[in-house]
Amino acid sequence: MSTSNEVQYYESDFDFDEHAAAVREQINHAEEEPEERLIAKHDENDDSLTPLSQADSWNQFHSHHSAGNFYKPRRYLLSAFPCIAQYLAGGDDVSSIRVVLEVGCGSGSTCVPIIKECSKRCDMVNENIILLACDCSTTAVETTRRFIDGLVENESLRRPHFASFDADPSLTIDESPPFLSQVKSAHDDLMRDTELAGQLVANGDIGVAGIVLLVFVLSAVSPTRVNRFVQQIHETTAPGGKVCFRDYGLYDLPMLRFDSQACCRSSTSLGDPVYLRGEGTIARFFTLESTRAIFESAGFTTCELRYC
């Protein structure tokens, strides 16, 4: 038993194999055959699944939740990914520039534990930390900016250099500038008026983010665009950098709550079920095998991958 007064947060509380076995038994005893839960009800090439339509759907969602408190702060983040705090600390060289990039920032809930962690550190460490957050939804970007500004003011937090901007890594070169160039532009715009102005990164094609956060975002990407999305993430990640990925897994409770009519595709080419929510946004449920295949095909090396 801990004697500390500090609240502890856990990021895993069940055994996946036991859970999966129970769910499969439940499905097998249902009136419907298992396959009928996954009958495709929508054409995967339907306009509602395009990045533009998905951005519109997320704009509507965030307009209805503009207070920024729909998603609770992800307090488990630093427990789930110890590499984040290690990276923020800077190791032996606290003067080095450290860039954390969140893709799919929503209302800013993933930024909260990072900003609070930064607030614990001295100004010398903080002044070299850059936190960038982007989303395909312009409404989400504005909500994040407003939410973080309010959090810092209300709790008197010291924060790193922070900027939010709209960008979508799933877009092709014909639809949008390369994601890496957008990230570098946001980085340099943020740095231009600071003491770090001499360390701009606009030139070159080397990634800049030492930590990339993909927290419940890849599941919302149209299946036909996932490879493009992850490839651009790879290009944006600095050499030796890490992607911290957390998302819906097969047999997650939200998947079991979906009506079979909501399924927009029986499965992806990798076997993951994909559903269309009532408000038009996508929800994909990954397996370990599909996740590994997606990231390694883009050039990543898997350090750790498990259900939690």
Side-chain angles (χ1 to χ4, degrees), residues 44-149:
E44 67 184 34
N45 295 316
D46 191 301
D47 287 344
S48 64
L49 302 183
T50 65
L52 181 59
S53 294
Q54 285 299 298
D56 287 342
S57 295
W58 282 113
N59 275 333
Q60 294 177 30
F61 175 87
H62 288 290
S63 294
H64 294 150
H65 303 284
S66 58
N69 56 5
F70 182 83
Y71 296 113
K72 302 301 181 185
R74 306 193 191 279
R75 297 184 176 94
Y76 60 80
L77 189 72
L78 299 182
S79 296
F81 303 109
C83 60
I84 297 175
Q86 295 167 5
Y87 179 70
L88 294 175
D92 296 331
D93 185 9
V94 296
S95 65
S96 62
I97 302 299
R98 297 179 296 290
V99 180
V100 177
L101 169 66
E102 183 189 7
V103 182
C105 59
S107 57
S109 59
T110 303
C111 294
V112 172
I114 294 178
I115 289 176
K116 289 190 174 181
E117 178 69 16
C118 290
S119 187
K120 298 176 184 177
R121 304 183 182 279
C122 66
D123 290 337
M124 183 177 68
V125 174
N126 254 11
E127 67 186 11
N128 293 306
I129 297 174
I130 300 167
L131 177 57
L132 302 174
C134 69
D135 201 287
C136 68
S137 164
T138 55
T139 307
V141 169
E142 186 55 42
T143 299
T144 294
R145 185 179 298 121
R146 186 173 61 252
F147 178 67
I148 295 303
D149 286 345

Side-chain angles (χ1 to χ4, degrees), residues 3-306:
T3 58
S4 173
N5 291 326
E6 185 174 350
V7 177
Q8 295 185 12
Y9 298 100
Y10 298 92
E11 48 84 28
S12 180
D13 58 3
F14 74 103
D15 179 84
F16 174 78
D17 292 334
E18 293 179 1
H19 171 69
V23 171
R24 291 189 190 105
E25 183 177 357
Q26 174 185 336
I27 292 176
N28 289 335
H29 283 83
E31 292 183 0
E32 295 179 330
E33 290 297 321
E35 294 81 3
E36 294 180 2
R37 292 177 57 85
L38 298 176
I39 293 176
K41 298 298 181 182
H42 299 273
D43 182 352
E44 67 184 34
N45 295 316
D46 191 301
D47 287 344
S48 64
L49 302 183
T50 65
L52 181 59
S53 294
Q54 285 299 298
D56 287 342
S57 295
W58 282 113
N59 275 333
Q60 294 177 30
F61 175 87
H62 288 290
S63 294
H64 294 150
H65 303 284
S66 58
N69 56 5
F70 182 83
Y71 296 113
K72 302 301 181 185
R74 306 193 191 279
R75 297 184 176 94
Y76 60 80
L77 189 72
L78 299 182
S79 296
F81 303 109
C83 60
I84 297 175
Q86 295 167 5
Y87 179 70
L88 294 175
D92 296 331
D93 185 9
V94 296
S95 65
S96 62
I97 302 299
R98 297 179 296 290
V99 180
V100 177
L101 169 66
E102 183 189 7
V103 182
C105 59
S107 57
S109 59
T110 303
C111 294
V112 172
I114 294 178
I115 289 176
K116 289 190 174 181
E117 178 69 16
C118 290
S119 187
K120 298 176 184 177
R121 304 183 182 279
C122 66
D123 290 337
M124 183 177 68
V125 174
N126 254 11
E127 67 186 11
N128 293 306
I129 297 174
I130 300 167
L131 177 57
L132 302 174
C134 69
D135 201 287
C136 68
S137 164
T138 55
T139 307
V141 169
E142 186 55 42
T143 299
T144 294
R145 185 179 298 121
R146 186 173 61 252
F147 178 67
I148 295 303
D149 286 345
L151 174 76
V152 170
E153 181 178 356
N154 293 337
E155 299 191 20
S156 300
L157 298 176
R158 295 194 305 268
R159 72 175 179 186
H161 303 289
F162 172 78
S164 58
F165 60 101
D166 59 287
D168 184 352
S170 75
L171 297 178
T172 66
I173 194 67
D174 295 329
E175 298 168 321
S176 173
F179 183 61
L180 174 59
S181 68
Q182 293 177 281
V183 172
K184 288 186 173 182
S185 178
H187 173 285
D188 287 358
D189 287 346
L190 183 62
M191 293 295 93
R192 195 160 278 116
D193 297 326
T194 73
E195 66 278 7
L196 302 177
Q199 303 187 49
L200 305 185
V201 296
N203 296 323
D205 56 1
I206 299 176
V208 296
I211 294 287
V212 179
L213 303 173
L214 299 181
V215 181
F216 292 99
V217 60
L218 196 60
S219 58
V221 177
S222 179
T224 58
R225 297 296 187 109
V226 163
N227 289 339
R228 171 67 177 172
F229 185 103
V230 178
Q231 183 60 52
Q232 292 217 81
I233 296 300
H234 183 267
E235 293 169 359
T236 305
T237 306
K242 294 183 178 180
V243 170
C244 299
F245 172 81
R246 187 180 179 108
D247 218 315
Y248 293 121
L250 188 67
Y251 304 137
D252 265 355
L253 184 58
M255 173 183 163
L256 303 181
R257 287 173 174 164
F258 273 111
D259 185 278
S260 61
Q261 298 295 316
C263 190
C264 64
R265 190 172 184 185
S266 59
S267 67
T268 66
S269 60
L270 296 173
D272 298 337
V274 181
Y275 294 83
L276 196 64
R277 297 187 183 94
E279 73 269 17
T281 58
I282 296 170
R284 175 175 179 168
F285 296 85
F286 296 93
T287 63
L288 298 183
E289 294 74 19
S290 66
T291 303
R292 181 178 289 106
I294 290 168
F295 281 91
E296 292 187 354
S297 66
F300 286 105
T301 299
T302 303
C303 298
E304 181 184 3
L305 182 62
R306 57 186 172 85

